Amino acid sequence: MKYEVITSPFYCTVLQRAFTKGQIVEIENSTRALELVNAGLLAIVEVKKKSTRKKKVKANE
């Protein structure tokens, strides 16, 4: 899942990774990510599906 860093820069010892404010990150460790969300360090980014247009095919008469 993708998350946005919403607080000042911090370093996560469990993930061994530094995060900066405004950065969009993808974290595979969902339990640790939820702990960071609950602590107010990360926010879940809504992923919108891209719409696709279908080409209209006219039937030959």
Side-chain angles (χ1 to χ4, degrees):
M1 245 183 132
K2 292 188 178 184
Y3 302 91
E4 180 181 4
V5 182
I6 57 173
T7 60
S8 60
F10 67 94
Y11 181 80
C12 179
T13 56
V14 174
L15 300 174
Q16 297 182 354
R17 185 172 177 177
F19 297 93
T20 58
K21 187 174 183 178
Q23 181 182 17
I24 304 291
V25 294
E26 189 165 345
I27 301 174
E28 294 178 10
N29 186 343
S30 60
T31 56
R32 183 60 180 167
L34 289 176
E35 290 174 0
L36 295 174
V37 169
N38 291 336
L41 301 173
L42 299 178
I44 298 173
V45 174
E46 299 280 334
V47 178
K48 296 181 181 179
K49 293 183 179 179
K50 292 184 178 180
S51 63
T52 57
R53 293 184 182 179
K54 294 182 179 179
K55 187 175 181 180
K56 293 182 180 179
V57 178
K58 293 183 180 179
N60 292 334
E61 294 179 12

